[in-house]
Amino acid sequence: MRIREQIDGDELTMFLDGNFDESSGFVVEGELDKIMSKNIKDIILDMEDVKYISSIGIRVLMLAHKKSIKSGKKITIANIFGKAREILEMVGILPLFTG
Amino acid sequence: MYRATLVSLTCNVVLVLVKSTALFLVNSLAIAMDLGISIVGLAVSIILYYSIRLSIQPADHVHNYGYGKVENVCEGMEGVVLIGIALAMSSQALVGMLHPNPIRLPWVGFGSSMVNVLLNFGGAYYIFKMAAKSGSPAIYAEGLHFKLEGYISGMIAAAFVITMALGAHGSDALADYIDPLAALLVSVCVIIPSCKLAKSSFFKLLDATIEEDSQMEVLKQLNKHIDKYCEFRDLKTRTAGRKKFIEFKIIVPEDISFKKGHEIVSALENDIRANIHFCEVTIKLHPCDKDCEFSRREERCPYLR
């Protein structure tokens, strides 16, 4: 998976491109942990180019949501479509990131 | 489950008898290969019967997690022995290609192979039903074995049809190559799924995680109760036979009452058990370390409701 970050003041957008699974899940988790320790208030995960999310990806997202609450930050998901969106809806975690 | 093993045993005994008779009459390498597979199947059916009896025994002081893994051992054994037979027979088939032997009575070979097709697919249908009901990986592997044998017997029947057709057209020399060629194709058909079966069983014996659907289900239930705990950590899963083991930690406010903590754990355990069959859930409660914004701002913890 390719990861690109764009910072705009205290808002960071992380563009993810590829499958969010066993091979990329821990890399994304590491990047999110680094961001959580920085002075960023809003984190946006742009998942327009994410085709598939496995259970590892779901786990990383749920942990990121919990860490964001713990550190007073806000994490949202933008531009999620197709199979990836279906999986988040099936597990029921999409409202955690779009509210 | 015992009915599935008895059906498997009965089918294998009949198949061995039919194939032995056909081999004696026809002298076919492909039928010899098929007979070898059925003899393995018969041995595995007997082992399966005793494995099932052992696997359903409850956990005890010697085997604290139960005896479920014996089913994965059975799965693995079946895969490895089938690979061995396929390799041995493929070498025989290559020798047969170099020095072909004419087969006798191909119509007897065709007839017995068609009987085998019916027995194998019929047995596979019933055993798959029992496997779905019981969730047993060893019974499922047995169903796969019968299905595979059904396709193999079908291929052998087709080989005999081609042999008879070539014989009828005066191409007896060419017809002599069909039997070893069929045996070689059967070896290839057996090796690939047998390798997958052996690999799958070894992964489970090495405590690989539960399948993706069940992992998603665990996360779904964790999400259902997400407003009751600070975090979850160290989610670990594994299988032993048909039993799934799921364990993880949940972090809760250190001021939470024992009763409240117990309610959260019980609710999670019950929901996971209701949605994933044959599972054992272990959830450990950990107090938070107050390293959060609520603590720093001296606000009330939202999870202490």
Side-chain angles (χ1 to χ4, degrees):
Chain A
M1 173 181 286
R2 282 196 299 267
I3 302 171
R4 185 170 59 86
E5 290 171 15
Q6 186 176 295
I7 299 176
D8 184 9
D10 56 5
E11 182 182 282
L12 183 144
T13 304
M14 190 190 258
F15 296 89
L16 304 176
D17 182 357
N19 288 338
F20 199 162
D21 56 18
E22 293 74 26
S23 56
S24 57
F26 297 110
V27 173
V28 175
E29 189 177 22
E31 287 301 313
L32 283 168
D33 282 344
K34 281 184 207 165
I35 292 165
M36 293 289 177
S37 61
K38 288 181 186 167
N39 198 16
I40 302 281
K41 283 269 179 281
D42 291 305
I43 303 161
I44 300 167
L45 297 175
D46 189 307
M47 297 176 85
E48 189 177 6
D49 295 319
V50 172
K51 303 284 181 287
Y52 172 75
I53 304 177
S54 75
S55 57
I56 297 284
I58 300 290
R59 196 194 297 200
V60 167
L61 288 173
M62 285 175 73
L63 288 171
H65 168 74
K66 281 297 192 182
K67 284 173 190 172
S68 69
I69 292 176
K70 200 173 160 180
S71 53
K73 298 182 197 302
K74 189 180 169 194
I75 184 166
T76 51
I77 289 177
N79 300 325
I80 183 159
F81 311 109
K83 185 77 186 167
R85 189 184 182 93
E86 268 179 45
I87 291 166
L88 292 197
E89 283 172 344
M90 187 266 296
V91 178
I93 69 166
L94 195 56
L96 300 176
F97 299 95
T98 53
Chain B
M1 279 192 302
Y2 288 124
R3 244 183 292 160
T5 57
L6 284 171
V7 163
S8 168
L9 209 55
T10 311
C11 283
N12 277 316
V13 166
V14 173
L15 284 165
V16 166
L17 288 172
V18 168
K19 289 173 188 180
S20 301
T21 310
L23 179 65
F24 177 73
L25 292 170
V26 180
N27 188 35
S28 156
L29 195 57
I31 291 182
M33 170 104 193
D34 208 10
L35 174 64
I37 295 167
S38 287
I39 291 172
V40 166
L42 182 58
V44 169
S45 297
I46 297 167
I47 295 168
L48 183 66
Y49 177 76
Y50 289 103
S51 299
I52 297 291
R53 277 182 67 170
L54 186 59
S55 76
I56 60 173
Q57 281 190 36
D60 56 29
H61 297 298
V62 178
H63 295 276
N64 297 161
Y65 292 96
Y67 293 83
K69 280 198 173 181
V70 72
E71 292 196 45
N72 301 121
V73 170
C74 215
E75 238 187 309
M77 262 171 48
E78 183 153 2
V80 168
V81 174
L82 282 172
I83 290 167
I85 289 187
L87 288 172
M89 281 297 184
S90 58
S91 61
Q92 285 294 310
L94 286 168
V95 169
M97 294 282 276
L98 294 168
H99 306 284
N101 274 327
I103 58 169
R104 303 184 296 257
L105 306 172
W107 56 272
V108 170
F110 172 74
S112 71
S113 296
M114 289 310 294
V115 166
N116 296 335
V117 166
L118 289 168
L119 273 170
N120 278 310
F121 281 122
Y125 173 76
Y126 180 79
I127 289 168
F128 275 139
K129 269 178 74 174
M130 290 294 111
K133 209 172 160 183
S134 67
S136 164
I139 293 180
Y140 181 75
E142 194 66 356
L144 275 178
H145 180 119
F146 273 98
K147 190 174 163 187
L148 183 65
E149 274 205 60
Y151 284 124
I152 288 167
S153 296
M155 272 175 56
I156 294 172
F160 281 117
V161 168
I162 295 169
T163 302
M164 287 190 286
L166 286 170
H169 280 89
S171 305
D172 288 324
L174 196 58
D176 291 344
Y177 286 95
I178 300 300
D179 183 52
L181 187 63
L184 202 57
L185 283 171
V186 164
S187 310
V188 170
C189 287
V190 166
I191 274 188
I192 297 166
S194 301
C195 286
K196 281 185 186 167
L197 188 65
K199 185 182 169 187
S200 153
S201 72
F202 287 137
F203 267 30
K204 287 175 200 166
L205 284 167
L206 293 173
D207 287 340
T209 56
I210 59 178
E211 69 277 9
E212 184 71 1
D213 287 349
S214 296
Q215 298 227 42
M216 286 291 195
E217 192 58 51
V218 173
L219 293 167
K220 202 171 164 184
Q221 299 310 321
L222 275 164
N223 180 54
K224 189 179 165 187
H225 299 275
I226 203 162
D227 56 347
K228 293 178 188 156
Y229 56 88
C230 307
E231 265 184 83
F232 72 90
R233 284 182 199 158
D234 299 338
L235 173 58
K236 292 179 193 168
T237 63
R238 64 182 181 92
T239 56
R242 82 199 78 128
K243 205 98 183 264
K244 294 174 181 116
F245 295 89
I246 299 158
E247 66 173 81
F248 54 90
K249 295 175 190 159
I250 56 167
I251 316 299
V252 293
E254 65 169 25
D255 303 325
I256 204 168
S257 68
F258 183 83
K259 186 179 175 204
K260 184 73 186 165
H262 183 260
E263 280 170 10
I264 296 169
V265 166
S266 297
L268 263 167
E269 276 179 358
N270 291 339
D271 282 346
I272 290 172
R273 273 199 228 110
N275 288 281
I276 300 175
H277 298 305
F278 308 115
C279 78
E280 224 173 84
V281 186
T282 307
I283 304 173
K284 296 174 194 170
L285 266 183
H286 278 245
C288 74
D289 50 12
K290 294 210 167 185
D291 177 26
C292 63
E293 277 302 297
F294 306 105
S295 187
R296 280 189 277 276
R297 284 188 249 147
E298 292 179 1
E299 287 174 14
R300 184 169 167 77
C301 176
Y303 305 109
L304 266 176
R305 282 181 257 110

